[in-house]
């Protein structure tokens, strides 16, 4: 399954947010879109999920314009986890995950044993089987995100679009969610596109990075090629020090006004300025 | 803490049992109460067509009309409320609170006064038109205004209702003859009407019932927010429009039969949800059963609280429903 955009422009009213975006999502890989607030990364994802109608250009799903396909057909191929989905009051984990089967049902096609099996598998895949009977509003942030991903999995699409799946989560829960995303890609061959805030985390968990600024792609490619001091400066407008280590870990150390500048290595680096992530890649 | 739910079969069985009890009470109790035996005898006589000629027959036949109308009205109003709460994702939505009932009533009263329309079949289309116009108006005002949409919708509905009710009162007062017979357009009532009028609303009722009855999956997807609704393959605007027409159709049918009845559409889905959980495929049938129970019980209560006179069911449901509305608003605002 391929997802591409060609010369895609997206706007809210008259405010153009994304302009002339050409993008090819690598199949079976994890792609992360990064960039500063308001750079259009979430808007681009919403465009790919056909939540927004382009003002120009196209989104192509398997070569066909996504807006010319029946919405149900798209829903069977592309799953989405929006930034702030609504949890119906009192709903349990199993009930929420079951709603992912919606695109596979119709007036005549009702719930079957197959649906039960797929819901059970989705719970298992996201390690939420034990939570099945619990009300979603009582779960931790990390558990809740895994449950939403389980719902998207129950939709049985080969492609998942995740809009900031780790925002509002502490670092342990972020790693919990991203480990799961990585599992889905490596073990099941699921294609994942996610918008992430955290650059080192994105570099660690994605196969393919897309850096955006002002509604356009500034750099894309392997994380090692994209995350450089020059690109970070270009994209976020900050000076920073980038260190790649042998295992593929990256440290991005922002150098603000109160930190030593390039070439003037201070004897002690302030501990809070050092961002490192050690998770299971 | 795991949550288990009552199986759907048990929910339906409970609802049917409650409905049977409520219907029996509605037939037996009133200014002159009938014993269960007399009710049964009277019913058999009606079915076999062998009237015994006793005064109990006349009472029973009037109460049967009243019970049938109460049943249909309760079903329509409660289902309409459940669908509106699902469509607007607003726990305070209901055909009364959103102003749909009063809009429908106004259209009927205007038709009565200025076009001389006086059949239930005529009321029905006026009620549907008035209800639709009000629904669109309230929804539009809430969509364009800033701030909490749930509350804006409720406040707009309340404003519309206040304005419309005073116009209705004005029209009826200027027409003394109509005032007596059409007082129920201000506050709903199921009394003093022949059950035959149900036949007039039947086509619209059945179509609306089918639409809303089958809308469970649509409302379930809508509950997750518009983005996910679309991501799950729902054609958001089309699906919502169709279900909204069904919901207004049900409300209009109820208004044509009994005038505006408040709070039943609001309260019933919340009570049902306590048992069924948030699945609209269960909430809708549950509401269809509990709505008539609530109407029949409050109507029966209204016959006995102030003897020898009766209190209209629309007043009874308002008296009982107002505290529930306050409770719900407190919960919605505090959350």
């Amino acid at each position: 399954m391929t997802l591409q955009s060609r010369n895609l422009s997206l706007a809210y009213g008259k405010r153009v947010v994304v302009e002339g975006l050409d993008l090819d999502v690598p199949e079976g890989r994890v792609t992360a879109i990064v960039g500063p607030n308001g750079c259009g990364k979430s808007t681009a994802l919403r465009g790919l999920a056909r939540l927004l109608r382009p003002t120009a250009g196209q989104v192509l799903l398997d070569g066909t314009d996504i807006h010319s396909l029946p919405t149900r057909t798209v829903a069977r191929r592309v799953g989405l986890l929006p930034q702030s989905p609504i949890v119906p009051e009192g709903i349990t984990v199993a009930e929420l995950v079951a709603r992912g089967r919606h695109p596979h049902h119709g007036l005549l096609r009702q719930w079957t044993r197959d649906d039960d099996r797929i819901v059970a598998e989705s719970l298992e895949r996201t390690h939420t089987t034990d939570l099945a009977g619990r009300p979603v509003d009582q779960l931790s942030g990390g558990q809740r995100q895994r449950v939403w991903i389980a719902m998207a999995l129950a939709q049985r699409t080969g492609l998942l679009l995740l809009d900031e799946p780790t925002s509002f989560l502490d670092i342990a829960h972020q790693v919990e969610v991203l480990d799961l995303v990585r599992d889905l890609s490596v073990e099941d061959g699921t294609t994942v596109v996610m918008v992430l805030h955290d650059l080192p985390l994105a570099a660690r968990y994605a196969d393919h990075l897309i850096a955006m600024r002002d509604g356009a792609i500034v750099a894309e490619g392997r994380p090692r090629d994209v995350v450089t001091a020059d690109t970070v400066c270009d994209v976020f407008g900050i000076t920073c020090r980038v260190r790649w280590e042998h295992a593929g870990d990256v440290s991005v150390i922002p150098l603000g006004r109160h930190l030593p500048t390039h070439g003037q290595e201070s004897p002690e680096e302030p501990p809070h300025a050092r961002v490192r992530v050690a998770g299971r890649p | 803490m795991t949550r288990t739910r009552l199986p759907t079969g048990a929910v339906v069985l409970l609802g049917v049992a409650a409905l049977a009890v409520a219907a029996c009470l509605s037939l037996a109790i009133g200014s002159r109460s009938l014993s269960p035996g007399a009710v049964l005898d009277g019913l058999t006589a009606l079915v076999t067509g062998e009237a015994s000629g006793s005064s109990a027959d006349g009472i029973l036949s009037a109460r049967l009309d009243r019970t049938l109308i109460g049943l249909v009205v309760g079903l329509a109003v409660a289902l309409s409320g459940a669908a509106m709460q699902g469509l607007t994702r607003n726990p305070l939505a209901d055909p009364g609170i959103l102003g749909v009932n009063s809009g429908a009533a106004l259209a009927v009263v205007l038709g009565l006064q200025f076009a001389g329309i006086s059949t239930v079949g005529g009321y029905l289309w006026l009620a549907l038109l008035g209800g639709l116009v009000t629904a669109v108006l309230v929804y539009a005002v809430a969509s364009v205004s800033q701030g909490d949409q749930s509350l804006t919708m409720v406040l707009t509905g309340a404003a519309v209702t206040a304005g419309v009710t005073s116009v209705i009162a004005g029209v009826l007062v200027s027409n003394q003859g109509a005032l007596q017979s059409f007082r129920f357009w201000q506050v709903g009532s199921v009394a003093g009407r022949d059950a035959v009028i149900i036949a007039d609303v039947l086509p619209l009722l059945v179509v609306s019932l089918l639409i809303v009855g089958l809308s469970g999956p649509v409302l379930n997807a809508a509950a997750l927010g518009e983005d996910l609704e679309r991501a799950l393959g729902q054609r958001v605007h089309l699906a919502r429009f169709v279900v909204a027409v069904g919901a207004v159709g049900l409300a209009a049918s109820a208004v044509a039969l009994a005038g505006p009845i408040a709070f039943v559409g609001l309260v019933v889905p919340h009570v049902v949800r306590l048992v069924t959980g948030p699945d609209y495929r269960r909430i809708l049938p549950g509401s269809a059963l509990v709505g008539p129970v609530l109407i029949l019980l409050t109507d029966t209560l209204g016959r006995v609280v102030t003897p020898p006179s009766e209190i209209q069911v629309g007043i009874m449901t308002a008296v009982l429903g107002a505290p529930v509305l306050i409770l719900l608003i407190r919960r919605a605002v505090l959350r």
Side-chain angles (χ1 to χ4, degrees), chain A residues 88-128:
Chain A
E89 204 185 333
I91 198 167
T92 66
V93 169
E95 287 169 341
L96 185 71
V97 174
R99 295 207 178 169
R101 298 302 296 153
H102 185 271
H104 300 273
H105 293 147
L107 270 185
L108 299 173
R109 281 228 308 232
Q110 298 293 322
W111 196 264
T112 66
R113 217 174 279 170
D114 253 4
D115 295 310
D116 279 327
R117 178 179 56 77
I118 290 166
V119 168
E121 284 171 10
S122 308
L123 290 170
E124 201 168 315
R125 199 74 196 83
T126 51
H127 315 289
T128 49

Side-chain angles (χ1 to χ4, degrees), chain B residues 191-203:
Chain B
R193 289 210 232 340
D194 199 322
V196 178
I197 61 172
I198 294 174
D200 290 328
V201 305
L202 212 55

Side-chain angles (χ1 to χ4, degrees), chain B residues 121-245:
Chain B
Y123 297 161
L124 184 68
W125 301 111
L126 288 172
L128 183 64
L129 186 72
L132 278 175
V133 168
T134 322
V136 168
L137 181 77
V138 170
Y139 195 81
V141 170
S143 319
V144 298
S145 51
Q146 311 281 319
D148 187 339
Q149 228 193 47
S150 301
L151 239 43
T152 320
M153 216 179 272
V154 173
L155 293 175
T156 316
V160 168
T161 304
V164 161
T165 311
S166 59
V167 176
I168 295 176
V171 172
L172 289 184
V173 165
S174 68
N175 184 345
Q176 283 297 327
L179 177 61
Q180 275 315 306
S181 31
F182 299 108
R183 224 175 19 180
F184 64 81
W185 291 117
Q186 284 178 59
V187 184
S189 166
V190 293
R193 289 210 232 340
D194 199 322
V196 178
I197 61 172
I198 294 174
D200 290 328
V201 305
L202 212 55
L204 178 65
L205 186 74
V206 169
V207 172
S208 311
L209 205 62
L210 272 176
I211 293 174
V212 174
L214 293 173
S215 70
V218 171
L219 296 177
N220 276 347
L224 303 172
E226 205 171 311
D227 284 356
L228 261 185
E229 186 180 358
R230 200 180 302 261
L232 286 174
Q234 189 138 297
R235 295 176 66 183
V236 174
H237 296 294
L238 179 73
R240 291 200 174 181
F241 176 74
V242 172
V243 179
V245 168

Side-chain angles (χ1 to χ4, degrees), chain A residues 55-93:
Chain A
T55 49
Q58 289 180 315
V59 173
L60 302 171
L61 180 62
D62 290 331
T64 315
D65 184 350
I66 203 165
H67 282 277
S68 72
L69 291 168
T71 168
R72 202 167 276 259
T73 309
V74 178
R76 290 180 192 164
R77 297 195 209 161
V78 182
L80 169 76
L81 174 51
Q83 222 171 87
S84 37
I86 297 169
V87 180
E89 204 185 333
I91 198 167
T92 66
V93 169

